[in-house]
Amino acid sequence: PLIDVGYEFNTVKAEKYASGIAVCDEMLDDYDFLASELVRVINKKVEANVSMAILKLAMTNAAAFQLTGIPSVQFPNANDAITAGCAQVSTMGFEATAVLINPLDLLSLKFSKNENGDYLFNYGCDVENNICCAKIIENNCIPIGHFLVGDFSKINVRPYRQWLKFGHNIDDIIRNKMTMLSERRDIIYIPNNHLGAFVFDSFENVIASFATSEPLVAETFKVSTGDI
């Protein structure tokens, strides 16, 4: 059958990400490997800036946890909260590929035990410590007590321009220095119909939505000891 497709045009600006370093001319002359090593360092810094931009975009456009109809859970923990976040992503028609949490929260997850001393973290994870097939990634930019889960394949990164420049800046030639500059311009965006692919919320808020304080009550049967 034929399917109607509609388009909505949005404007996204190309953002610049740059990193540079100044180095003495003599060092470049004396060490053959130094130039390539410095290029590697500043390029890595630029890539880190791009990764930060992607993270901020996902956090800004992520939805809060709002999944309903979840059965009440006894003694819920952060592991359950992440699983519920993955479930919300799935209900929106996406597949969670990664979960970003603060390193201290991941440490708390790994240290959590039940009253028998058994670790709880691995119960909800596969052999690679993924939850619901989503890879757990530590990131210091995620606030403590919060997590970001989503289908990161829905973030589009379109490289626009990239430069690597060598030259003298202002009085570099007087000071016998060389400036190295790595720059790139990227267009980074999430299509409007993919905004539901991300959830960002606190563990506390998510857990409160399906936690129950009522203990499970087992049925008891009294056996009569009278004459049969």
Side-chain angles (χ1 to χ4, degrees):
L2 296 177
I3 300 176
D4 291 333
V5 177
Y7 293 93
E8 179 178 328
F9 291 93
N10 289 327
T11 300
V12 181
K13 296 181 179 179
E15 299 290 343
K16 178 186 286 190
Y17 308 94
S19 177
I21 189 171
V23 60
C24 180
D25 288 339
E26 281 82 0
M27 290 188 67
L28 293 175
D29 291 336
D30 294 343
Y31 301 98
D32 295 335
F33 67 90
L34 187 59
S36 59
E37 179 65 16
L38 292 177
V39 169
R40 186 191 67 82
V41 170
I42 59 178
N43 282 341
K44 188 173 182 179
K45 178 62 176 177
V46 172
E47 292 173 2
N49 292 338
V50 173
S51 297
M52 178 65 69
I54 293 173
L55 175 59
K56 289 182 178 179
L57 180 67
M59 292 175 64
T60 302
N61 290 278
F65 183 78
Q66 51 194 2
L67 190 63
T68 58
I70 304 176
S72 296
V73 179
Q74 264 202 312
F75 314 118
N77 57 22
N79 200 340
D80 300 320
I82 294 174
T83 303
C86 292
Q88 177 169 317
V89 173
S90 297
T91 60
M92 298 300 294
F94 304 99
E95 182 178 352
T97 58
V99 180
L100 275 65
I101 64 176
N102 189 279
L104 293 179
D105 287 322
L106 181 58
L107 186 64
S108 297
L109 271 174
K110 291 183 175 181
F111 280 175
S112 59
K113 302 178 183 179
N114 61 16
E115 40 187 39
N116 295 324
D118 302 317
Y119 286 99
L120 300 174
F121 178 66
N122 290 331
Y123 288 161
C125 304
D126 59 20
V127 293
E128 296 181 351
N129 281 345
N130 297 338
I131 295 181
C132 298
C133 298
K135 183 177 180 60
I136 299 177
I137 301 175
E138 298 174 278
N139 193 297
N140 286 306
C141 295
I142 302 296
I144 296 176
H146 291 71
F147 69 96
L148 171 68
V149 57
D151 186 347
F152 284 83
S153 68
K154 303 308 178 185
I155 298 181
N156 293 284
V157 181
R158 304 288 187 242
Y160 182 56
R161 294 284 190 274
Q162 187 167 3
W163 306 272
L164 183 62
K165 302 177 181 178
F166 295 83
H168 295 102
N169 178 37
I170 309 177
D171 59 351
D172 277 358
I173 193 169
I174 300 175
R175 297 178 181 274
N176 206 25
K177 293 193 303 182
M178 174 74 72
T179 295
M180 307 170 65
L181 182 65
S182 176
E183 294 182 347
R184 60 183 283 184
R185 295 177 66 195
D186 288 348
I187 301 172
I188 305 175
Y189 66 97
I190 304 173
N192 287 349
N193 57 332
H194 291 165
L195 293 178
F198 299 92
V199 174
F200 177 66
D201 213 324
S202 68
F203 291 108
E204 182 180 3
N205 288 343
V206 177
I207 289 173
S209 66
F210 56 79
T212 176
S213 58
E214 298 179 1
L216 293 176
V217 179
E219 294 185 9
T220 56
F221 300 91
K222 293 182 179 180
V223 179
S224 175
T225 57
D227 294 334
I228 300 178

